[in-house]
Structure formats: C-alpha cells, structure tokens
Amino acid sequence: MGYKEASSFATTALPEGYDYIIVGGGTAGCPLAATLSKKYSVLLLERGGSPYGNINISRFENFQISLLDTSPGSPSQAFISTDGVINARARVLGGGTCINAGFYSRASPRYVRRAGWDGELVNKSYPWVERQIVHWPVLAPWQEALRDGLLAASVTPFNGYTYDHVFGTKVGGTTFDRDGFRHTAADLLSSGNPDNLHVLIHASVQRIQVTVQGSTPKATGVIFKDENGDWHRASLSSGGCGDVILSAGAIGSPQLLLLSGIGPRADLEKIGLPIVMENAFVGKGMADNPMNAVYIPSKRPINMSLIQTVGITKMGVFIEASSGFCPSSESTNCQHGIMSAEIGQLSTVPPKQRTLEKARSYAESKATLPKEAFQGGSILEKIKGPLSTGELRLLNLDADEGPSVTFNYFNNPLDLQRCVYGVRTIEKIVRSGSFAGLIDDGAYSMEALLNLSVRANVNLIPKHTNDTKSVEKFCKDTVVTIWHYHGGCQVGKVVGKDYRVVGVDGLRVVDGSTFIGSPGTNPQATVMMLGR
C-alpha cells in the first residue's frame, strides 16, 4: 500500500470528500483503514513518517535505540507524566507496533464479554492480524530460565505456545520474524483496496471541524498541517453517512477532542476554547499499567531477548523478562538512554529541573559506558488494570505539543499490594536456581539486587537507596511505564458501545483511549483486532 507526503493532499484529494477520515495511522488506525477501504473511500492521516527503511524500527536488536531516539523526526515522542515517569507515544505509520517489544497476546474471554464485543467476530478478527504479521519466537536462554523459574514459583500450569490469555506460564507470539525483522500494523494496509485508500504521512491533525446546526453538532472534516507547515482541510462526503474516526491513541484522541471543543467545561474555558459539546469525562480515567524491574547482572554477556515468556497470575500480576543490549553495527544514534539498566540517578536533580532536556543530557553523559554495564537482564512485574487513575489536560492549543498527563501510580493501595506480590514472586524465581547457569549464584542477595535496581536510571522520582527492606518503597521508587496507557475516551462515558462520541454526529473513537483496563498482558493484539 502506497503513502504520500501530506503536502500532496491538494492534488490527490477526492473532490467530493471521503466516506471516512481516520486520524492516526497507528495500531488501530491501519487495520481500520484497510477494512473500511474494501467498501468505502478512506483518508488515513498519520502525523509521523514511514517505518520502512528505518533500521532502528525494523531490526530487533535496535529496539531500545528506536524507543529512546529523541530527535524531532523520531518515531517515538518522549513525554514525562506529572508523576515523574518517562514515557513515549508513537509518531510513525504503524503506531506503537513500530516501537514496542513485539509481544503478541490476546485479551481474555472475560475481557471480551465485559467490553460487549461480538465473540464470534472477535475470533475472526484476531487471526486476520496473526496471519499477516505474527510469528512464534525461538526462546532465548533468559526466556527459558524465566519459564522454568515461573513454574518453580508455582505460576502454573505451563500452557506452551499460545496467543490465549490463560492463567499460568506461557510463550506468546511476536511481531519479529525469525530473521529479527519487525512486522507492524502498517503492513496490514496492504490488505486494503488501493483504489479507495489514501494514506498521508506527516499530516498533523490540529482539530476536528464540527458544524453546529440545530441541537446536535456534526463532524464534517478535519484541519491538518503538512510537513511544510501549510494548512489543509479534509472533508467528509456531503451525501454519505460516514464518520471522522479518531485513532490517535490514548494521548492523541482525548487531546484532539479537547482541542475541538469537546470535553469538560472548566477545562475548555481555562484554555480559552469555545464549547462545542460538554462532556465531563474527556481526558479522565487515564491509567498506565505500572511496571517494576529487578536488574540481574550475569556471569557473561547474555543474548538479547525481549518479551517472549509470561507468567499470568491470579493476583492480577504479570511476570516477564528481557535481557542484553546489542545494537547492530549499522544502527544510528546509539545511546545508552533513559530506560537502560545503568547505574546512576537523575533523582539528584532538583524536582523542578527534571525536564526532558535534562534527561537527554544525562543519557548523553552515559554514552561512554562500557558494554559490560549492560551485561545481564531483568525480570519485571506489571499490574493488570490498574485501579489507580488520573487525567489528561491541555497545556496549550498546539496539537503537536504534548498535554499534561497524570497517572497517579499506586494511588490505590491494592495496586501497591499487587506490586509487592510481583516483586516477591521475582524473588522466588531468582532463588529457584533456574538462572544458575546465567548469573553469579549467591553473589547477590535479593536486597542487593533491589538496591542495584533502585540506583538504575529509570525515572525522575527521588530514590531511597539502601532502604529496600520495604518492598512498597521499592515499588514507588522504581515504577516505570510499559507503554500500556489507556483511557481518556472511555466507552460508556465519552463514546457509546458503537464508539460514537456521545452527543456528536459523525464522530467516533477507535483505539486504546476507549479502554477501561488494558487487555491481556500486552494490548497491541486487541487494539489491532478492534480496528479490524
């Protein structure tokens, strides 16, 4: 499927308008566009560039480099939540599937029922994705050790290789093939009808155009900027019954609703926006699955691995692992960045000075570290849900700049209890002997490993080193994201079960912003399924 720069819109747009305009060519937007184009004319607008030809996106070994690239044209746009946790949102055709760890796992049947989805249609839509971009991994030694350790820690039974969400230990799918090449949601566009589908990259939508006639506002198009900064208007066909569909993600979709005058009255008036439709829930219910990792040094360099094995516990805690850091010799912008397992603390910087610029400067200062500093791997626990939620607010009227986002990690004490359970499970895994051939057996107590992990440069939260007897404090000190944030346009509050924005005709939201909780162990499978 071909795509063009946004500046070509003036010469390629359908004069009569489009049946559907999709804002965001990401995890949901690409399968959605491909599906709708079978019968309708579709315009897909993506604010980022192409994933193709970028070796830091396509190559497995460059995962961290792509994620931590902070250049203006990066596929990953960094932001720091008000909690002090460094995060990222995708800015590339294919969305989060271009910068994530590739793990593929479906939602549970219970999640599907609670979402009100048609189970038969769901079970047809997942395979449509899987046939095109999903593969079975070859287990790395670190992942085999985790599998054995999970079983020794009673995270049973072993369910083998499966996409299904089932209690116990399993090996999931991956969007990296046997050659280490990444397949993304952008690949799904090839299933569309090229005669009906126009894809524009570097098309940054600034707001939805809404016509207010009578009592019900109606979306009629969008206003966007191209790569040169020139403005364009894309319209829905006047005679059709199509929609503008926001698939801009859990940050972009609520942000664009607010910028278009749809949201809480107080929030809109504070930023000076006219109110098109008051809805108290836009930008609310924001949540991010908190993750904590225990870093484990090894006897010798460990092969790189991303998420392959997972333990799904009945406590609502998932245990996963990663290892090694082996960028290819052809990779560019190599830096040992913000999320790398390196020793040192940015928390010594005063809170008001903890900016992205300071984080970048800190990362650059660590670029001379020897590769031995990255020898080993980590075991991580993350929390299902979570119960703690926050909000998204506009800081200005520029859609290209990020809004203020608060997740309130561990605000609910049950989330903290589950984190403690997860860390204690990691302790059982390490003590089980499954890692004996990979790590220095007995060289590190669990308290020493926790202290090592506390000193790692993972977030901008003040740390309490040499005080890890309190696992609760460890959880709060070392919380990071695993990029599974959701909410802001939730079903039943901002959109109905048909994903139409409440009170506005011709406008829907289809992406992770509509979720009450993150599906499965990793959401990308379900977000792509939803788009299909």
Side-chain angles (χ1 to χ4, degrees):
M1 170 57 61
Y3 51 84
K4 296 182 178 181
E5 293 286 350
S7 57
S8 71
F9 179 73
T11 58
T12 61
L14 296 180
E16 68 274 18
Y18 291 87
D19 295 325
Y20 290 94
I21 298 172
I22 300 173
V23 180
T27 311
C30 286
L32 176 61
T35 302
L36 288 174
S37 70
K38 290 294 186 178
K39 296 182 179 179
Y40 306 101
S41 62
V42 178
L43 175 65
L44 178 63
L45 301 171
E46 166 53 44
R47 71 191 183 113
S50 167
Y52 302 109
N54 185 334
I55 194 169
N56 288 339
I57 291 176
S58 61
R59 296 303 305 172
F60 160 81
E61 60 267 28
N62 296 338
F63 160 69
Q64 286 179 300
I65 294 173
S66 177
L67 185 65
L68 298 169
D69 180 3
T70 55
S71 64
S74 166
S76 175
Q77 181 180 11
F79 72 95
I80 300 176
S81 70
T82 63
D83 316 274
V85 172
I86 301 162
N87 214 314
R89 55 186 290 212
R91 181 172 52 191
V92 61
L93 187 66
T97 65
C98 297
I99 61 173
N100 65 19
F103 192 70
Y104 182 96
S105 185
R106 297 180 178 184
S108 67
R110 182 185 181 196
Y111 189 99
V112 171
R113 289 193 298 271
R114 292 181 66 180
W117 295 331
D118 180 333
E120 183 179 350
L121 189 56
V122 165
N123 289 332
K124 290 179 180 178
S125 299
Y126 276 124
W128 180 85
V129 174
E130 292 153 8
R131 286 191 297 269
Q132 298 181 76
I133 66 170
V134 186
H135 306 266
W136 292 116
V138 176
L139 275 193
W142 199 262
Q143 301 295 324
E144 291 178 333
L146 175 64
R147 175 198 62 198
D148 297 342
L150 283 165
L151 297 176
S154 300
V155 184
T156 56
F158 179 58
N159 296 299
Y161 284 71
T162 179
Y163 298 142
D164 293 337
H165 186 91
V166 284
F167 291 120
T169 296
K170 74 165 192 173
V171 178
T174 177
T175 53
F176 290 101
D177 62 26
R178 295 294 176 94
D179 295 322
F181 186 85
R182 183 195 294 272
H183 298 267
T184 76
D187 298 357
L188 301 175
L189 290 171
S190 63
S191 294
N193 181 348
D195 294 330
N196 285 343
L197 179 56
H198 289 179
V199 180
L200 298 183
I201 57 174
H202 298 127
S204 178
V205 174
Q206 302 297 301
R207 67 179 184 275
I208 307 150
Q209 194 159 48
V210 180
T211 301
V212 181
Q213 293 180 340
S215 58
T216 305
K218 178 179 175 59
T220 58
V222 299
I223 304 296
F224 69 95
K225 288 194 296 185
D226 65 24
E227 72 277 10
N228 301 318
D230 294 328
W231 292 70
H232 304 269
R233 179 182 186 274
S235 301
L236 292 172
S237 58
S238 58
C241 55
D243 303 293
V244 172
I245 306 178
L246 293 183
S247 294
I251 306 298
S253 288
Q255 179 187 21
L256 283 170
L257 285 182
L258 292 170
L259 287 171
S260 305
I262 302 167
R265 177 176 291 274
D267 291 359
L268 296 175
E269 289 179 343
K270 184 177 180 180
I271 204 78
L273 282 165
I275 298 169
V276 172
M277 173 56 63
E278 184 176 0
N279 187 315
F281 300 108
V282 176
K284 311 305 180 184
M286 297 293 298
D288 186 21
N289 290 30
M291 187 263 276
N292 298 79
V294 177
Y295 175 62
I296 305 172
S298 60
K299 295 177 181 178
R300 56 188 179 276
I302 298 295
N303 289 342
M304 182 178 175
S305 70
L306 299 177
I307 312 302
Q308 295 178 330
T309 301
V310 61
I312 301 174
T313 73
K314 293 184 179 180
M315 286 290 292
V317 176
F318 307 137
I319 309 293
E320 300 175 348
S322 63
S323 62
F325 181 69
C326 310
S328 70
S329 58
E330 301 91 355
S331 63
T332 57
N333 301 319
C334 178
Q335 63 174 353
H336 304 311
I338 295 165
M339 288 292 293
S340 299
E342 60 193 59
I343 305 308
Q345 256 190 79
L346 192 58
S347 62
T348 56
V349 177
K352 291 185 179 179
Q353 298 178 29
R354 292 176 198 152
T355 62
L356 273 177
E357 288 70 27
K358 185 69 69 173
R360 290 167 185 152
S361 175
Y362 184 86
E364 289 170 2
S365 73
K366 294 293 180 179
T368 58
L369 281 178
K371 282 193 174 183
E372 287 73 21
F374 303 92
Q375 187 165 295
S378 62
I379 305 176
L380 60 93
E381 62 80 29
K382 59 182 181 181
I383 293 171
K384 175 185 176 182
L387 299 174
S388 305
T389 61
E391 64 179 0
L392 176 151
R393 292 176 179 270
L394 294 180
L395 293 173
N396 52 51
L397 302 181
D398 188 350
D400 297 326
E401 293 189 20
S404 168
V405 186
T406 302
F407 293 116
N408 289 324
Y409 298 100
F410 300 126
N411 195 46
N412 189 304
L414 292 178
D415 289 339
L416 192 58
Q417 289 178 23
R418 291 193 288 175
C419 178
V420 171
Y421 170 84
V423 174
R424 293 302 186 201
T425 302
I426 292 174
E427 182 176 10
K428 292 178 182 178
I429 293 168
V430 174
R431 287 178 174 174
S432 70
S434 63
F435 284 87
L438 301 174
I439 66 177
D440 290 322
D441 189 28
Y444 295 93
S445 66
M446 189 62 184
E447 186 174 348
L449 291 176
L450 294 183
N451 265 309
L452 194 65
S453 302
V454 167
R455 292 197 301 271
N457 172 30
V458 293
N459 63 32
L460 309 187
I461 299 172
K463 310 294 192 296
H464 301 80
T465 53
N466 301 314
D467 188 19
T468 53
K469 292 182 179 179
S470 167
V471 178
E472 289 91 347
K473 190 166 292 184
F474 173 82
C475 288
K476 291 180 177 180
D477 281 0
T478 64
V479 63
V480 294
T481 183
I482 195 158
W483 314 289
H484 297 168
Y485 47 82
H486 52 278
C489 299
Q490 292 174 322
V491 172
K493 296 180 177 180
V494 176
V495 299
K497 287 191 175 294
D498 56 1
Y499 295 88
R500 293 187 180 278
V501 174
V502 175
V504 182
D505 289 341
L507 182 60
R508 302 195 200 209
V509 182
V510 178
D511 58 25
S513 70
T514 64
F515 294 162
I516 304 298
S518 185
T521 56
N522 299 65
Q524 72 165 344
T526 303
V527 177
M528 285 187 281
M529 179 280 295
L530 180 64
R532 172 59 174 174

